[in-house]
């Protein structure tokens, strides 16, 4: 069993997220890919919407593709979780014989040494690093060593249950949740940047509307 994990605030989920998920699913011949909406610290609660709405939108988006599943474990906790906690919880549930692939963008990967207990991540999962053609971030020395020791040259060589790093080139889609929120806040349409069902949900529930003064 090979399971991909894509975390995010998904505020709201859009085709940039979904396209990445589908590409990784195919490139690594995954059995399933789990979208994991994250809880946010209170200071990030603005200007997006509630965890419940974010989760509902992720469910609507995943419903269109049977290879995508939604895992709400981070929202069921009473505080934001470290990624390492989420991986430990998945390992406790799924056992040691499942191959886990934690998907991160190149920029997130470059900041890895600041993550809580980051050295433990590869003991729990493989890392899939999504590269963009235009990336310009320098890799910290410690990560250069890690890449040299743990990278596989081809996705087909990613056979370990944990501990490997797979770099995948990715089709860049210039879509961000920030941009979608700003379109909605100024009464412009984000149509074709996100699934129709998610846009319907946003409209039905009046999410991300213009800020009103009271
Ligand atoms: P925001 O604009 O609110 O910061 P976002 O659109 O960047 O949100 P997140 O929920 O923060 O979305 O991202 C979750 C994951 O999806 C991250 O790993 C992020 O790098 C990735 N991601 C976001 N946008 C895209 C995109 N257009 N193409 C590919 N991956 C993306």
């Amino acid at each position: 069993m090979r399971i991909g994990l894509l975390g995010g605030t998904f505020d709201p989920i859009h085709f940039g997220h979904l396209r990445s998920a589908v590409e990784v699913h195919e490139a690594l011949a995954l059995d399933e890919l789990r979208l994991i909406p994250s809880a946010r610290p209170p200071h990030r609660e603005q200007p997006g919407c509630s965890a419940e709405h974010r989760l509902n939108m992720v469910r609507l988006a995943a419903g269109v593709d049977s290879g995508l599943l939604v895992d709400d474990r981070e929202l069921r906790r009473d505080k934001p979780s470290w990624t390492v906690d989420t991986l430990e919880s998945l390992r406790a549930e799924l056992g040691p014989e499942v191959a886990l692939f934690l998907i991160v963008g190149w920029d997130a990967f470059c900041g890895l040494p600041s993550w809580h207990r980051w050295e433990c991540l590869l003991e729990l999962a493989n890392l899939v690093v999504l590269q963009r053609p235009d990336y310009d971030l320098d890799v910290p020395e410690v990560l250069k060593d890690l890449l040299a020791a743990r990278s596989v040259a081809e996705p087909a060589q990613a056979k370990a249950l944990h501990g490997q790093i797979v770099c995948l080139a990715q089709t860049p889609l210039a879509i961000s949740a920030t941009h979608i929120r700003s379109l909605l806040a100024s009464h412009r349409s984000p149509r074709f940047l996100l699934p129709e069902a998610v846009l319907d949900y946003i409209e039905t529930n009046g999410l991300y509307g213009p800020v009103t003064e009271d």
Side-chain angles (χ1 to χ4, degrees):
M1 185 79 172
R2 294 160 67 78
I3 302 180
L5 310 166
L6 177 61
T9 49
F10 303 125
D11 190 17
I13 191 163
H14 54 67
F15 284 139
H17 303 128
L18 292 162
R19 187 62 216 161
S20 295
V22 168
E23 289 187 13
V24 174
H25 199 301
E26 285 180 359
L28 293 177
L30 300 178
D31 296 294
E32 67 183 48
L33 190 145
R34 298 189 184 200
L35 300 165
I36 310 183
S38 52
R40 283 176 304 192
H43 68 272
R44 271 216 66 188
E45 278 305 325
Q46 298 295 327
C49 65
S50 69
E52 187 192 354
H53 282 316
R54 292 187 293 115
L55 176 61
N56 288 341
M57 290 188 282
V58 173
R59 288 200 167 121
L60 284 169
V64 177
D65 184 317
S66 58
L68 301 182
L69 300 180
V70 186
D71 189 314
D72 66 355
R73 75 188 57 230
E74 292 196 2
L75 299 181
R76 281 189 266 115
R77 293 169 66 107
D78 52 2
K79 57 179 172 30
S81 0
W82 304 110
T83 299
V84 69
D85 298 331
T86 303
L87 293 179
E88 279 175 346
S89 143
L90 282 157
R91 274 282 168 225
E93 189 178 307
L94 300 168
E97 297 303 322
V98 166
L100 294 179
F101 295 89
L102 176 69
I103 303 161
V104 295
W106 180 256
D107 50 342
F109 176 71
C110 290
L112 205 67
S114 66
W115 291 23
H116 184 59
R117 290 169 58 211
W118 73 276
E119 284 104 333
C120 299
L121 297 173
L122 281 166
E123 290 165 19
L124 293 158
N126 298 293
L127 274 183
V128 180
V129 184
L130 299 180
Q131 289 180 314
R132 289 168 174 250
D134 58 349
Y135 68 85
D136 56 1
L137 287 172
D138 271 342
V139 192
E141 278 310 313
V142 61
L143 293 183
K144 282 187 188 154
D145 295 344
L146 191 71
L147 280 170
R150 305 293 193 115
S151 293
V152 294
E154 294 293 327
Q157 294 168 351
K159 301 231 182 271
L161 301 178
H162 63 91
Q164 291 181 320
I165 301 177
V166 195
C167 294
L168 287 183
Q170 185 200 18
T171 310
L173 287 181
I175 304 175
S176 73
T178 303
H179 180 54
I180 291 172
R181 290 195 302 270
S182 93
L183 288 173
L184 288 160
S186 56
H187 291 297
R188 285 177 293 160
S189 171
R191 202 148 177 237
F192 306 126
L193 297 178
L194 72 178
E196 202 67 29
V198 174
L199 183 54
D200 286 348
Y201 183 91
I202 289 171
E203 286 173 356
T204 304
N205 291 280
L207 307 179
Y208 310 114
V211 179
T212 48
E213 306 278 332
D214 45 28

